[in-house]
Amino acid sequence: MLSMSKLRYRIKPLPPFVLFSLLTDSGCNIDRMSRCPIQDNWSDRSVNKTIGSLSCSNMQTGMLLIRSVITSTTRSFSSMAGTILVQARDPAKLSVEIENAIDECRYDETWKLFEQHMQMEGFPRKSIVNKLLTSFAESLDAKWLEKAYGLVERAFEESKHNLLEKETLIYLSLGLAKCSSPIPASTVLRKLVAVEQYPPVTAWSAILAHMSLTASGAYLAAELILEIGYLFQDGRVDPRKKSNAPLIAMKPNTNSYNIALAGCLLFETTRKAEQLLDMMPRIAVKADADLLIIMAHIYERNGRREELRKLQRHIDEVYNLSDIQFRQFYNCLLSCHLKFGDLDSASKMVLEMIQKAKEARNSLAASTFAFDATGNDNRSPSGQISGQHLIPRKLDGLENDKFIENDIMSYEEFARDRNFMNLEAKAKRVLQTLLAKLLMQVELVTTEHGILQPTERIYVKLVKAFLEAGKTKDLVQFLIKAEKEDTRVSNDDSALGHVINSCVSLGWLDQAHDLLDEMRLAGVRSSSSVYASLLKAYIKADRAGEVTALLRDARSAGVQLDSSCYEALIQSKVIQKDDQGALHLFKEMKVAKIPRSGHQEFEMLVKGCEENHEASLMSKLLKEIKEGQRDDNGVHDWNNVIHFFSKKRLMQDAEKALKKMRSLGHSPNAQTFHSMVTGYAAIGGKYTEVTELWGEMKSFASATSMKFDQELLDSVLYTFVRGGFFARGNEVVHMMEKGNMFIDKYKYRTLFLKYHKTLYKGKAPKFQTEAQLKKREAALTFKSWVGLT
């Protein structure tokens, strides 16, 4: 038998759930015990003394005193009964129940059991955590995906991310991206990179593809490429080292670039896309045929005509471009010529297309005739490409989301594909959908039998541009040349006739008359309906002198006016009380034997256009002129100059160019200021200059129609946060939130932690100026906004 002194030092406080089990096994009435009064000031020492005074024969009585050990940890047994019961549950048994619930897809019960485990012992073992995450991701249910993402966030906050497997997080990110949750999907990828668990590009490019189907996701996709690409700039990573193999596998490739850039184009964040293009040579990404065409779209949107001309050399040298890709490139080039007001280059391109199309038609007709003569009716001529083979990927008739799958592969299938080849294939299919949507925006050039041909849309845009520039003679010469090459158009349905009728409808009578004069001098005969429409417009406007001149021109050109013109002329003479003139016109009409029921060509044409019964050239021209805005061609030239200086970090020259631009009457736009801000940011330390520019931008925007866009404000906000100008940064945040613009909070949280981690962490000093107080409040407001407080 042990002595009492030894027993005194051997008995130690036991865990609550062990005591609970002992009491339950001994048959004690816990409810009765919990109702007994317990002194709060008992200590472990007093308990040991009490037990030490007992004899071994009275150990049953001593067991009742063990309750004091419980009260040394808790103030009242009854108040902690629920916690003790949870702690008393076997964690191993609870883990088995969680696993069974996951297998049976009982997600509500799974989550309740998981929360109980978190209360008892924190995170369960690694296999269960990953199984829970993959099951929730596989469900593609927004509720469970949110729970899974919250669990990942908690694991990283508690430094338990070693429980999370890389493949699990990639799978979860894919599920989030598929369910249109690009922000958490990108955050998971960023966390993987932060802990050096690098996802292969074949995997994260598929996540990027689904993110790029939304506006915020497309912006985040571009940010991810920039962040990941930064790690590889200028050969920072040595590919010869085996230890760098996982990092090298993450490097952006051509496919990921295509996806991100196509998303930027679809959601009009093309200046962000141009930043990606600038990074391409620095990380050695090679362009394929698709990337070349995407680059052409970006250069056209941003007005980089010289870059397009350089790109044209590569386009002409690439052997595997389809006619669809050629069509997109020349559409971009034509559009850029119009943007700069270079009507000579644009009209020359159109005429070359018409001429080549005519030669191809003649060649095709001759070859078909010769082949038919041999009796080989059932085969295509040698060298002739059938229409179906011109579109190898069938982008023209593609439904918008045909290649986008709404389901997700099982995790077992995902895990078996160690190289993520399935994900890479799916990413390419989504890319085809994005490219198909881009093709729908091509409207100036079409293809027929593999030959480029201009559409009516380019005629409309050229005519409008010629008229706005006052180049009537050049317009007539262009249209005459175009009609000579394209012999399929009849005289009555000529482009010139449609243009003149459109001018009359818009009230541009002088331009219409100038066009008629130029046509007559060029020896082109106009139809009577064209003269009739202009004559009636002059009569309606009560311009008697122009009526007389037009009648003289019509007679000299041998054009016979219809009865409706004579009736309008006679009516105007009657109104002017010129009876002799009215009688003379009536006799002239009778001598010419003009029937009273003259044709009403122009009225029927205008009525048809108004009722949208036909999509004729005239109706399209009317719509373009009425709805289209007049471009300031000089703005694009000056934007290119400022962009060049900013890119070369010659900011003094950029400032001079901006002043000159404004002095010449050209209004800078968001693109102009974006080049300036990014130029200052590239130099570093130019925060005061950006602050002054921000004030200038705000005053200029309030006085003009200039609008701030997401890309401009994001670049301004980045510069302010980097420099610690939080009061100005909060202004930008307020403006972006007011305009419902997406803001990448994760980027700014990371930026704040990188440069201002220790800023205002302690208590505020007792004595500080009002300026210091405001500066502190602004920083704390921004810190709270990014979620760091």
Side-chain angles (χ1 to χ4, degrees), residues 198 237-251:
Y198 304 120
V237 181
D238 188 354
R240 295 170 296 180
K241 292 183 178 179
K242 289 185 178 180
S243 58
N244 287 336
L247 182 57
I248 293 293
M250 185 181 67
K251 181 184 170 184

Side-chain angles (χ1 to χ4, degrees), residues 193-402:
V193 177
V195 296
E196 298 184 357
Q197 292 293 315
Y198 304 120
V201 65
T202 49
W204 65 260
S205 59
I207 297 168
L208 237 65
H210 290 282
M211 286 171 55
S212 297
L213 298 172
T214 62
S216 58
Y219 202 84
L220 282 169
E223 289 284 4
L224 278 170
I225 295 266
L226 290 171
E227 290 172 15
I228 295 174
Y230 178 78
L231 303 174
F232 301 93
Q233 276 188 171
D234 305 322
R236 291 177 180 176
V237 181
D238 188 354
R240 295 170 296 180
K241 292 183 178 179
K242 289 185 178 180
S243 58
N244 287 336
L247 182 57
I248 293 293
M250 185 181 67
K251 181 184 170 184
N253 60 9
T254 305
N255 195 45
S256 61
Y257 250 81
N258 282 334
I259 291 166
L261 293 173
C264 287
L265 276 169
L266 289 172
F267 294 102
E268 299 180 354
T269 52
T270 51
R271 294 196 292 280
K272 178 67 70 175
E274 198 165 0
Q275 290 180 17
L276 294 180
L277 295 183
D278 292 339
M279 181 181 274
M280 273 182 63
R282 301 185 68 181
I283 61 174
V285 173
K286 294 182 179 179
D288 63 358
D290 285 331
L291 187 48
L292 287 174
I293 301 306
I294 291 172
M295 289 168 68
H297 281 284
I298 294 167
Y299 290 144
E300 183 272 324
R301 299 275 184 90
N302 292 345
R304 312 288 184 226
R305 188 161 62 144
E306 289 306 314
E307 298 296 334
L308 263 178
R309 283 172 172 164
K310 292 176 186 176
L311 190 62
Q312 188 173 7
R313 303 188 201 115
H314 297 286
I315 293 291
D316 294 336
E317 292 172 1
V318 175
Y319 66 91
N320 60 341
L321 279 180
S322 68
D323 68 308
I324 291 175
Q325 290 167 328
F326 270 113
R327 180 164 122 200
Q328 291 183 76
F329 175 78
Y330 283 101
N331 181 87
C332 293
L333 189 56
L334 257 178
S335 180
C336 213
H337 285 321
L338 291 174
K339 197 173 278 186
F340 280 82
D342 188 355
L343 302 182
D344 291 337
S345 297
S347 57
K348 184 180 177 182
M349 272 187 68
V350 171
L351 291 173
E352 285 178 359
M353 285 184 198
I354 296 172
Q355 187 177 5
K356 288 180 180 179
K358 181 181 178 181
E359 292 172 1
R361 279 197 304 272
N362 294 338
S363 173
L364 183 63
S367 120
T368 304
F369 176 78
F371 215 77
D372 286 344
T374 63
N376 295 328
D377 299 38
N378 297 326
R379 289 182 294 169
S380 299
S382 177
Q384 182 183 350
I385 303 174
S386 66
Q388 292 181 350
H389 295 294
L390 293 175
I391 310 176
R393 289 170 298 190
K394 298 183 180 179
L395 296 181
D396 279 318
L398 178 69
E399 294 81 11
N400 285 345
D401 299 327
K402 182 178 179 181

Side-chain angles (χ1 to χ4, degrees), residues 512-533:
H513 204 156
D514 291 343
L515 283 168
L516 269 175
D517 290 341
E518 292 294 341
M519 287 175 67
R520 184 168 48 81
L521 293 173
V524 178
R525 182 182 174 85
S526 301
S527 64
S528 60
S529 62
V530 174
Y531 279 93
S533 61

Side-chain angles (χ1 to χ4, degrees), residues 362-616:
N362 294 338
S363 173
L364 183 63
S367 120
T368 304
F369 176 78
F371 215 77
D372 286 344
T374 63
N376 295 328
D377 299 38
N378 297 326
R379 289 182 294 169
S380 299
S382 177
Q384 182 183 350
I385 303 174
S386 66
Q388 292 181 350
H389 295 294
L390 293 175
I391 310 176
R393 289 170 298 190
K394 298 183 180 179
L395 296 181
D396 279 318
L398 178 69
E399 294 81 11
N400 285 345
D401 299 327
K402 182 178 179 181
F403 289 148
I404 301 174
E405 301 169 3
N406 294 322
D407 59 343
I408 189 171
M409 69 176 78
S410 66
Y411 183 72
E412 288 74 15
E413 183 184 355
F414 173 84
R416 283 196 299 269
D417 186 11
R418 304 302 298 175
N419 295 321
F420 303 103
M421 301 305 293
N422 285 334
L423 284 186
E424 187 178 25
K426 290 184 178 182
K428 288 180 179 178
R429 288 199 291 271
V430 177
L431 175 61
Q432 296 309 311
T433 300
L434 298 174
L435 294 177
K437 291 180 179 179
L438 274 182
L439 182 60
M440 293 169 63
Q441 300 175 3
V442 175
E443 55 182 9
L444 304 182
V445 182
T446 186
T447 51
E448 185 177 332
H449 299 294
I451 305 299
L452 297 174
Q453 291 191 4
T455 62
E456 280 191 340
R457 184 73 175 165
I458 183 59
Y459 281 111
V460 167
K461 285 187 171 290
L462 272 172
V463 168
K464 178 175 179 278
F466 273 121
L467 290 174
E468 287 178 347
K471 297 182 177 180
T472 308
K473 184 177 181 179
D474 294 338
L475 172 59
V476 171
Q477 290 176 351
F478 163 70
L479 291 176
I480 289 172
K481 289 177 183 177
E483 289 184 357
K484 282 181 180 178
E485 297 293 342
D486 193 357
T487 56
R488 296 173 297 175
V489 181
S490 66
N491 186 56
D492 290 335
D493 193 34
S494 67
L496 274 166
H498 282 300
V499 172
I500 294 171
N501 286 334
S502 300
C503 290
V504 171
S505 292
L506 293 165
W508 299 356
L509 305 185
D510 292 332
Q511 288 93 326
H513 204 156
D514 291 343
L515 283 168
L516 269 175
D517 290 341
E518 292 294 341
M519 287 175 67
R520 184 168 48 81
L521 293 173
V524 178
R525 182 182 174 85
S526 301
S527 64
S528 60
S529 62
V530 174
Y531 279 93
S533 61
L534 182 56
L535 184 66
K536 292 173 187 176
Y538 275 143
I539 292 170
K540 189 175 181 180
D542 195 19
R543 296 174 63 173
E546 284 80 359
V547 169
T548 304
L550 186 62
L551 281 172
R552 184 173 60 250
D553 293 342
R555 285 170 183 145
S556 63
V559 175
Q560 180 62 63
L561 300 176
D562 59 29
S563 61
S564 62
C565 292
Y566 278 101
E567 289 170 2
L569 285 167
I570 291 169
Q571 188 175 0
S572 68
K573 294 292 183 182
V574 171
I575 291 172
Q576 296 169 8
K577 297 182 179 180
D578 184 2
D579 298 336
Q580 290 296 325
L583 185 60
H584 175 74
L585 286 168
F586 182 76
K587 288 179 178 178
E588 184 180 325
M589 180 180 174
K590 191 173 181 181
V591 170
K593 298 181 179 179
I594 297 173
R596 283 181 172 270
S597 56
H599 55 278
Q600 308 290 329
E601 295 178 19
F602 178 66
E603 287 81 356
M604 291 174 64
L605 183 60
V606 173
K607 188 178 179 182
C609 292
E610 290 174 351
E611 295 176 359
N612 293 322
H613 288 164
E614 56 177 335
S616 65

Side-chain angles (χ1 to χ4, degrees), residues 63-115:
M63 285 296 295
L64 293 175
L65 295 175
I66 294 175
R67 62 188 174 87
S68 62
V69 180
I70 302 173
T71 59
S72 68
T73 308
T74 61
R75 292 179 178 270
S76 171
F77 187 93
S78 59
S79 65
M80 292 297 293
T83 305
I84 292 171
L85 285 172
V86 170
Q87 289 179 341
R89 194 164 187 175
D90 186 2
K93 187 178 179 182
L94 193 57
S95 296
V96 172
E97 291 179 7
I98 293 172
E99 206 162 359
N100 291 335
I102 293 172
D103 291 336
E104 296 171 11
C105 298
R106 292 181 281 113
Y107 296 134
D108 287 306
E109 187 176 348
T110 300
W111 188 249
K112 288 178 183 177
L113 293 169
F114 179 79
E115 285 183 323

